[in-house]
C-alpha cells in the first residue's frame, strides 16, 4: 500500500461516504420503520376482525332476544301460546297457519336464520324453516337449560342438521306480556356458514379465518390449520405461529357463550405486502438514480484527479529540471479551476523560458560589452596618466579650457570603465554634468542643459551609461542647425513603480526614414540577436541593455513630437539594496 492515497481515491471515498452512507442509513431506517408499521397494522387488522366476530355474535343474540319478545308485543301470539288445543281442532290449525306466516316473516329478515320454532308450555309447536331442524317438543332437556340461564338465553354447541349444514342453536324463554309468566320457548337455528360468510365480507376476506369447536375444525378459509394443537397462542394476544412451515401472525379468541374458538391469521411476511413492494420499487429506482449519479460523479472525479495528477507530475519534473507545458483541451464543455491552473502553469513555464532566455542574452550582452570595453580601454592607466599630464601642462601654460576638458574626460573615462553595472541617479547626473562641460567647450554660448529631478528618485539605481548616449544623440542632430541655441531638458521622475527618464531637445528631430528604422529596431529587438551598426548605435545599445536586464515593457521609446526630439526611457524603480542583489546575480 502506498504511503499516500491518490486524489482520485480520496474523492471516490468521500463521494461514497457522502452519498452511499446517508442513503443506506436512511433506507434501512425507513424499511425497519415501515416493517414495524406494517406489522402493527396487521395486528390491528387482526384485532378489528376479532371485534367484528364478537359484534356478529352479539348481533345474533340480540336478534334472538328481539324475536323472543314477540309474545310481549303481540297479544295474539301470547294468546295462541297459552291456549290448549285438540289435535283435530280447527282453531288450532288456523292459529298454526297464522303463526307460521309470522315466523316466516321473521326468518325473511335475516337470511342467516335457518329455522324458528315456538314451543308452547301447553305442548303446541309452531315453526317456520328453510331446513327442517326443529326438535321434538317431548325433549325437555334444552328447555330446562334455558330455564336455568340467568338471562333466559341458552346457546347450544354447533351441530349439523338433517341437511348436513352447520347450525348454531340459540334458545330463549317466552313470557306473557300481562302476567310475565313463561308461556313457552323459542329456538332459532343460525347457519354458521352464512354467519362466517357475512363476517368474511366485513373483513374483506383479509385476514384468514378458522373456527374451532371442541378441538374440531369447523371452518378454515385459508386451509392451513390442520389441528387445534397448532394454535399455541395466548388468548386475545396477536403472536407469531408456524403453519405448514411458514410464519403467520394470528389471534385466537374463545366465545364463552357459544364455546366457539375463532382464529384469525395472515402472512407475517411484510415484504409480500403491496406497500412494501412499492417501497422496494421506490428504493430500487433511487438506487438506479444513485448509481447514475455516482457514475457521473466518478467521471468528473476522474477528470479532476487526472488534472491534479498531470499538474503534480509536471511540477515534480520541473523540480528536477524537466520543464514542459501541459495540454489544455479547448473543446471541453465545462472549464474548472483546474483548467485555469493548467493555463497558469503553462504561462508560468513560458515566463520561465522567456526569463531564462533574457538572462542568457543579458549575460551574453554583458560579456560582449565587457569585451568591447576592454578592447576600447587600450591601457586605461596610460590614458589616465596622459590626460593628467595634459591637464598639468595646460595649467602651467595657463590654458584653462584644455585643463577642464582633460579633467572631465578623465572623470568620464574612469566612470565608464569601472566594474559596477548599476549606479545611482545622482552619480549618473554628476558624470552627465562632466560630459556637458566638455560639450560647452565645443559649443560655447549655444548649449543650454536643464535638469528636473524628483528628490525621491535621486538614490534609485539605474544601469550605467544610459544618459550620455542620449545626450550625444541630441547634440549630434541639434548641431546640424548652427543658427539656433541647443536646448536640452532632462526630466527624471517616479511613475507607477517605474523611473521615467526623458530627454527633450529643440533640434530638427530625426529624419523620418531614420526614425522608422530606429523604431523598427527597438520594437523588433530580441535578446538573442546581435546589435546592428549605424549612426544611432548608442540609442539601440541603451534599449538593448535595459530590455535584456529587465525585460518587457522596459526600454527606450521615441514618441512623436511637433518639434525637436524626445527620448523616453523606462526602467523599474530599484532602491540600493535591490540593485545590489541584481548586480550580484
Amino acid at each position: 500500500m502506498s504511503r499516500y492515497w491518490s486524489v482520485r481515491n480520496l474523492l471516490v471515498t468521500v463521494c461514497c461516504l457522502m452519498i452511499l452512507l446517508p442513503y443506506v442509513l436512511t433506507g434501512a431506517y425507513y424499511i425497519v420503520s415501515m416493517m414495524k408499521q406494517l406489522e402493527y397494522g396487521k395486528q390491528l387488522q387482526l384485532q378489528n376482525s376479532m371485534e367484528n366476530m364478537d359484534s356478529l355474535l352479539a348481533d345474533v343474540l340480540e336478534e334472538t332476544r328481539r324475536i323472543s319478545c314477540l309474545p310481549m308485543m303481540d297479544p295474539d301470539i301470547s294468546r295462541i301460546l297459552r291456549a290448549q288445543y285438540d289435535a283435530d281442532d280447527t282453531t288450532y290449525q288456523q292459529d298454526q297457519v297464522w303463526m307460521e306466516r309470522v315466523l316466516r316473516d321473521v326468518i325473511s329478515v335475516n337470511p342467516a336464520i335457518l329455522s324458528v320454532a315456538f314451543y308452547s308450555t301447553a305442548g303446541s309447536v309452531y315453526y317456520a324453516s328453510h331446513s327442517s331442524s326443529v326438535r321434538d317438543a317431548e325433549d325437555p332437556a334444552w328447555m330446562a337449560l334455558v330455564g336455568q340461564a340467568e338471562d333466559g338465553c341458552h346457546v347450544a354447541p354447533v351441530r349439523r342438521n338433517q341437511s348436513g349444514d352447520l347450525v348454531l342453536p340459540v334458545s330463549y324463554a317466552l313470557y306473557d306480556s300481562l302476567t310475565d309468566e313463561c308461556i313457552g320457548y323459542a329456538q332459532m337455528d343460525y347457519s354458521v356458514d352464512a354467519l362466517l360468510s357475512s363476517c368474511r365480507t366485513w373483513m374483506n376476506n383479509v385476514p384468514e379465518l378458522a373456527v374451532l369447536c371442541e378441538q374440531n375444525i369447523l371452518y378454515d378459509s385459508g386451509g392451513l390449520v390442520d389441528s387445534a394443537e397448532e394454535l399455541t397462542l395466548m388468548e386475545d394476544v396477536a403472536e407469531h405461529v408456524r403453519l405448514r412451515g411458514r410464519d403467520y401472525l394470528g389471534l385466537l379468541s374463545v366465545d364463552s357463550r357459544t364455546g366457539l374458538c375463532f382464529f384469525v391469521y395472515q402472512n407475517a411476511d411484510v415484504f409480500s405486502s403491496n406497500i412494501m413492494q412499492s417501497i422496494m420499487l421506490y428504493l430500487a429506482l433511487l438506487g438506479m438514480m444513485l448509481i447514475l449519479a455516482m457514475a457521473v460523479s466518478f467521471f468528473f472525479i476522474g477528470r479532476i484527479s487526472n488534472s491534479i495528477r498531470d499538474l503534480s507530475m509536471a511540477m515534480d519534473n520541473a523540480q528536477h529540471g524537466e520543464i514542459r507545458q501541459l495540454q489544455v483541451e479547448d473543446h471541453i464543455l465545462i472549464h474548472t479551476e483546474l483548467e485555469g491552473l493548467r493555463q497558469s502553469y503553462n504561462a508560468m513555464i513560458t515566463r520561465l523560458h522567456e526569463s531564462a532566455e533574457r538572462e542568457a542574452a543579458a549575460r551574453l550582452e554583458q560579456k560582449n560589452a565587457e569585451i568591447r570595453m576592454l578592447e576600447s580601454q587600450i591601457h586605461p592607466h596610460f590614458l589616465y596618466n596622459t590626460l593628467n599630464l595634459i591637464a598639468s601642462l595646460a595649467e602651467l601654460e595657463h590654458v584653462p579650457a584644455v585643463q577642464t576638458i582633460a579633467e572631465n574626460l578623465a572623470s568620464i573615462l574612469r566612470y565608464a570603465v569601472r566594474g559596477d553595472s548599476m549606479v545611482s541617479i545622482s552619480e549618473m547626473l554628476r558624470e552627465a554634468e562632466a560630459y556637458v562641460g566638455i560639450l560647452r567647450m565645443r559649443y560655447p554660448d549655444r548649449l543650454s542643459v536643464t535638469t528636473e529631478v524628483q528628490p525621491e528618485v535621486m538614490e534609485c539605481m539605474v544601469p550605467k551609461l544610459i544618459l550620455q548616449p542620449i545626450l550625444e544623440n541630441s547634440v549630434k542632430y541639434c548641431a546640424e542647425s548652427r543658427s539656433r541655441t541647443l536646448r536640452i531638458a532632462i526630466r527624471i521622475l517616479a511613475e507607477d513603480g517605474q523611473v521615467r527618464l526623458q530627454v527633450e531637445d529643440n533640434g530638427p528631430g530625426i529624419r523620418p526614414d531614420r526614425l522608422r528604422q530606429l523604431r523598427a529596431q527597438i520594437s523588433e529587438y530580441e535578446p538573442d540577436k546581435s546589435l546592428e551598426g549605424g549612426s544611432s548605435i548608442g540609442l539601440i545599445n541603451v534599449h538593448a541593455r535595459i530590455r535584456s536586464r529587465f525585460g518587457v515593457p522596459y526600454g527606450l521609446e521615441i514618441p512623436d513630437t511637433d518639434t525637436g526630439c524626445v527620448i523616453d526611457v523606462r526602467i523599474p524603480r530599484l532602491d540600493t539594496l535591490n540593485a545590489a542583489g541584481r548586480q550580484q546575480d
Side-chain angles (χ1 to χ4, degrees):
M1 182 177 179
S2 61
R3 182 179 179 184
Y4 299 104
W5 277 24
S6 65
V7 175
R8 183 186 186 91
N9 292 337
L10 289 175
L11 292 176
V12 168
T13 303
V14 172
C15 179
C16 291
L17 291 178
M18 293 182 63
I19 298 179
L20 282 179
L21 187 59
Y23 174 79
V24 172
L25 293 178
T26 304
Y29 174 78
Y30 188 61
I31 291 176
V32 172
S33 300
M34 289 304 301
M35 289 176 61
K36 292 182 178 180
Q37 292 182 12
L38 289 174
E39 185 172 2
Y40 175 76
K42 288 179 177 290
Q43 294 176 357
L44 188 62
Q45 189 176 32
L46 293 178
Q47 293 177 357
N48 292 335
S49 300
M50 193 60 69
E51 290 176 359
N52 290 335
M53 290 297 302
D54 295 339
S55 177
L56 178 63
L57 292 178
D59 291 342
V60 169
L61 296 178
E62 186 63 27
E63 179 71 12
T64 306
R65 183 184 298 275
R66 183 183 65 81
I67 295 174
S68 66
C69 293
L70 288 178
M72 301 181 68
M73 294 183 295
D74 192 337
D76 292 334
I77 297 178
S78 178
R79 178 186 58 80
I80 294 173
L81 291 175
R82 291 197 307 271
Q84 294 184 356
Y85 299 99
D86 294 334
D88 55 352
D89 192 346
T90 305
T91 305
Y92 169 73
Q93 294 178 357
Q94 293 176 352
D95 290 342
Q96 188 177 31
V97 172
W98 185 84
M99 285 286 289
E100 182 178 357
R101 184 173 64 252
V102 172
L103 296 179
R104 285 190 179 279
D105 293 338
V106 170
I107 65 175
S108 65
V109 176
N110 191 344
I113 301 177
L114 293 178
S115 64
V116 178
F118 279 5
Y119 296 90
S120 171
T121 55
S124 302
V125 179
Y126 309 94
Y127 67 92
S129 66
H130 298 296
S131 175
S132 178
S133 62
V134 181
R135 297 188 180 186
D136 296 334
E138 291 79 8
D139 183 9
W142 62 275
M143 297 182 185
L145 294 176
V146 174
Q148 296 173 1
E150 295 181 359
D151 55 354
C153 176
H154 171 67
V155 181
V158 175
R159 60 181 175 80
R160 294 187 180 275
N161 58 13
Q162 291 95 347
S163 302
D165 298 328
L166 287 174
V167 296
L168 176 65
V170 181
S171 303
Y172 262 93
L174 303 176
Y175 295 92
D176 187 3
S177 59
L178 297 177
T179 63
D180 200 18
E181 178 185 0
C182 180
I183 57 177
Y185 300 92
Q187 177 179 308
M188 282 143 282
D189 289 344
Y190 287 87
S191 172
V192 175
D193 293 334
L195 293 176
L196 295 178
S197 176
S198 299
C199 185
R200 293 287 295 160
T201 302
W202 292 352
M203 295 188 300
N204 294 323
N205 295 324
V206 178
E208 302 294 342
L209 173 64
V211 181
L212 295 85
C213 182
E214 298 178 353
Q215 301 298 322
N216 296 321
I217 300 175
L218 302 179
Y219 175 79
D220 184 9
S221 61
L224 299 177
V225 181
D226 296 330
S227 65
E229 296 178 355
E230 295 184 70
L231 308 181
T232 58
L233 303 177
M234 296 179 62
E235 186 176 350
D236 297 331
V237 177
E239 293 184 1
H240 290 269
V241 63
R242 299 288 293 182
L243 297 176
R244 296 190 181 183
R246 299 184 64 182
D247 190 20
Y248 287 86
L249 188 67
L251 179 63
L252 180 68
S253 179
V254 179
D255 185 72
S256 58
R257 299 295 301 271
T258 63
L260 296 177
C261 293
F262 297 97
F263 177 61
V264 288
Y265 64 95
Q266 60 179 333
N267 194 347
D269 184 14
V270 295
F271 288 99
S272 62
S273 63
N274 295 332
I275 297 177
M276 186 58 69
Q277 289 179 358
S278 300
I279 292 174
M280 298 302 294
L281 178 61
Y282 174 70
L283 293 178
L285 293 177
L286 285 181
M288 294 176 61
M289 295 177 63
L290 175 65
I291 293 175
L292 179 61
M294 292 184 63
V296 175
S297 300
F298 289 165
F299 171 76
F300 286 104
I301 288 174
R303 293 191 60 84
I304 294 173
S305 61
N306 292 336
S307 300
I308 296 177
R309 181 193 60 197
D310 294 343
L311 184 60
S312 177
M313 293 178 60
M315 296 183 70
D316 185 67
N317 294 334
Q319 183 179 1
H320 293 83
E322 181 182 349
I323 300 177
R324 64 179 181 86
Q325 290 190 343
L326 295 175
Q327 182 180 0
V328 179
E329 299 178 0
D330 294 332
H331 64 278
I332 60 177
L333 297 178
I334 301 177
H335 291 270
T336 62
E337 291 85 351
L338 293 175
E339 301 299 330
L341 287 176
R342 286 173 175 260
Q343 296 177 354
S344 300
Y345 175 81
N346 291 338
M348 180 186 69
I349 294 299
T350 302
R351 287 195 298 271
L352 287 176
H353 279 293
E354 294 176 353
S355 178
E357 292 175 356
R358 286 197 304 270
E359 184 177 358
R363 290 179 179 177
L364 180 60
E365 185 69 22
Q366 184 177 3
K367 289 181 180 180
N368 293 335
E370 290 176 355
I371 292 175
R372 290 194 298 269
M373 188 177 297
L374 290 174
E375 291 177 350
S376 63
Q377 286 180 1
I378 313 174
H379 303 294
H381 293 291
F382 173 75
L383 185 56
Y384 295 155
N385 294 334
T386 303
L387 291 175
N388 289 330
L389 179 59
I390 294 174
S392 298
L393 292 175
E395 183 179 4
L396 292 175
E397 295 296 332
H398 302 287
V399 185
V402 176
Q403 180 183 359
T404 301
I405 291 176
E407 290 177 352
N408 290 340
L409 182 58
S411 176
I412 294 173
L413 184 60
R414 189 182 303 108
Y415 167 78
V417 299
R418 76 181 187 182
D420 297 338
S421 61
M422 300 286 288
V423 296
S424 65
I425 291 179
S426 59
E427 187 176 1
M428 178 188 69
L429 291 176
R430 285 197 301 270
E431 299 306 323
E433 182 64 27
Y435 179 70
V436 170
I438 297 176
L439 294 179
R440 285 196 180 97
M441 294 297 176
R442 183 178 178 185
Y443 304 103
D445 302 328
R446 291 186 55 208
L447 180 60
S448 173
V449 179
T450 59
T451 303
E452 181 182 350
V453 184
Q454 291 182 350
E456 61 267 21
V457 300
M458 290 296 291
E459 298 305 320
C460 292
M461 306 300 288
V462 294
K464 186 171 59 177
L465 294 175
I466 62 171
L467 184 56
Q468 286 80 0
I470 300 175
L471 294 175
E472 181 182 358
N473 182 77
S474 297
V475 172
K476 173 184 176 182
Y477 288 100
C478 290
E480 295 177 0
S481 178
R482 300 180 181 276
S483 60
R484 67 175 64 182
T485 299
L486 305 178
R487 289 186 175 86
I488 301 175
I490 302 174
R491 303 182 186 90
I492 304 177
L493 64 154
E495 188 178 272
D496 296 332
Q498 301 177 0
V499 173
R500 180 180 178 186
L501 189 150
Q502 187 180 75
V503 179
E504 182 178 1
D505 61 56
N506 63 341
I510 305 175
R511 297 191 312 271
D513 56 342
R514 181 56 185 160
L515 181 60
R516 286 193 298 270
Q517 183 181 2
L518 283 174
R519 287 176 174 172
Q521 290 177 340
I522 291 172
S523 62
E524 297 175 0
Y525 169 76
E526 295 181 4
D528 56 348
K529 290 185 178 180
S530 60
L531 296 177
E532 298 181 0
S535 58
S536 298
I537 187 63
L539 297 180
I540 301 301
N541 182 278
V542 171
H543 176 73
R545 287 190 290 115
I546 294 176
R547 181 62 60 87
S548 298
R549 179 179 292 273
F550 303 113
V552 180
Y554 305 107
L556 184 143
E557 296 179 357
I558 306 177
D560 294 328
T561 57
D562 296 334
T563 59
C565 179
V566 177
I567 305 297
D568 268 343
V569 179
R570 295 180 183 271
I571 57 177
R573 181 173 179 174
L574 302 174
D575 55 19
T576 305
L577 181 61
N578 292 337
R582 285 181 173 268
Q583 186 173 350
Q584 291 176 2
D585 293 340

